[in-house]
Every structure is written in structure tokens, then in C-alpha cells.
Amino acid sequence: MDEGQDQLFDLWLDKVKKAWPAEGWAEAYLRECDGDHTRAVRKYLDYVAEFRSVSPEQLAAMPMSTGERNCLGRSPTLRPTQPPVSTVDELLEIRRVGRILMYIGEATVERMAGYIDGYRLCLSLAGLKDEEYLRFERWLQDSGRVPPGHSWEDAFLQADHGDHEAAIYRLLDCAAEFRSLPSL
């Protein structure tokens, strides 16, 4: 993504305010605030508010390299810097890697469903349609893997006797089977 003003804020925080710690703001501000997350975030947000009041002229006078200066005045965008990956491709990547925890933390069907919903929302916000995932959901029902009126979460959790991780792997295996079918 094009970071635009976000990168400029980082430069301002570092070069003007001298408040960008080497280990990152979260760790440093948490330590400074004795582990109080609310105070640490408020400190960071105070800098954000101050940055918003800085004039374009003050920002232009800020010491920075040519590369840093190129970000001045650009607004952040939601344009991907790499081609987007479809939801089914993302599921196949999770299956290939084989480390569900890396993607969703605790392996529960609710977390996996939330991950999928969030992933699809991001694609949508970027203006992309993910018709293949809709075909995949239909295929799950048409093939009898998910009974009508049920979600994959309920169906697979029941089929795997309450084993969340097995139910997630069942979904990932179904995605691989769906992808291997002749064009639907």
C-alpha cells in the first residue's frame, strides 16, 4: 500500500519530535508508562493530533532526504502494491504452510471464519470481487459437505466431533479439492 502521510508522520515523529524510539513506539511508550496500554496509546495519539496541526510549510521545512521528501503531500491510498490473492488462493496458502496459528492464533472455526470474512472485506474495500469464493461456498453445499442452511463451521465441527483444528483443515482440504476440479 502507498503509505503517503503515514510515512511523513513517522519522519516528523523521528526528525522533529525526536520521539521515535529505535525499538518502536509501542514498546518504548509502554515501558515509559509502566505497562499501561491506555496511557501509551494516548501518548502516541497526542503526537498524531499535534502532527495534524502542523502546516504544510512547516512540513516542507522539515529536514529530509529526497526519497523522504517524495512522500510529502501524498495521501494514503488503498491500491495494492502486489496483485491481490483470491480467498481460495489464501486458503490454499494456509494449507501449504500448514501453520494455522500463524494466521489466526488459537485454532477455532470462529477465528477462521472471522479471518475469511476480514480477508474478503479487504478485497471488497480494494474494489475487487471474489466470485470464486462464492462458487466455493455453493460447491460445499451442492456437494453435500455442508447441509443447506448450515455454515461450514457447524458442519465441519460436527463431522470432526468438536475438533476445531481438524474442522479447519477439512475446510482447507475442500478448498484444494475445489481448485483441482475442472473449471466451474
Side-chain angles (χ1 to χ4, degrees):
M1 301 291 171
D2 180 0
E3 295 176 359
Q5 294 292 322
D6 292 341
Q7 186 177 4
L8 186 58
F9 170 70
D10 292 349
L11 291 170
W12 174 83
L13 193 61
D14 181 38
K15 294 178 182 280
V16 175
K17 297 307 286 185
K18 308 288 188 215
W20 189 260
E23 71 270 31
W25 71 269
E27 294 83 6
Y29 295 176
L30 265 175
R31 188 176 55 255
E32 184 181 317
C33 296
D34 298 319
D36 185 330
H37 288 263
T38 303
R39 283 184 39 222
V41 170
R42 283 187 178 147
K43 177 176 177 153
Y44 182 77
L45 292 177
D46 286 344
Y47 282 124
V48 171
E50 184 179 347
F51 173 74
R52 299 274 299 167
S53 69
V54 174
S55 73
E57 293 78 23
Q58 290 170 309
L59 289 174
M62 186 171 73
M64 55 182 131
S65 69
T66 304
E68 293 167 341
R69 190 162 299 285
N70 286 338
C71 76
L72 184 61
R74 287 193 328 220
S75 297
T77 69
L78 291 176
R79 286 188 313 244
T81 55
Q82 297 178 358
V85 173
S86 75
T87 306
V88 172
D89 283 332
E90 181 69 1
L91 294 176
L92 295 175
E93 179 63 12
I94 294 170
R95 181 177 185 259
R96 185 192 68 76
V97 170
R99 295 176 58 199
I100 295 171
L101 299 178
M102 185 172 84
Y103 291 88
I104 63 171
E106 182 184 352
T108 67
V109 294
E110 295 85 6
R111 283 179 175 256
M112 188 66 188
Y115 181 85
I116 292 168
D117 289 345
Y119 192 87
R120 294 188 69 224
L121 176 62
C122 288
L123 289 176
S124 176
L125 290 173
L128 304 167
K129 293 184 179 181
D130 193 6
E131 300 292 333
E132 182 185 31
Y133 188 76
L134 297 174
R135 290 192 307 276
F136 173 58
E137 287 182 314
R138 264 193 317 276
W139 175 80
L140 287 173
Q141 290 192 350
D142 292 347
S143 66
R145 288 167 177 80
V146 175
H150 290 83
S151 65
W152 72 263
E153 302 100 278
D154 295 336
F156 292 177
L157 201 52
Q158 183 177 3
D160 289 308
H161 311 290
D163 184 335
H164 286 258
E165 191 168 345
I168 293 168
Y169 276 111
R170 181 181 296 264
L171 174 72
L172 301 176
D173 290 343
C174 284
E177 183 180 346
F178 172 78
R179 181 52 72 76
S180 71
L181 296 172
S183 184
L184 297 173

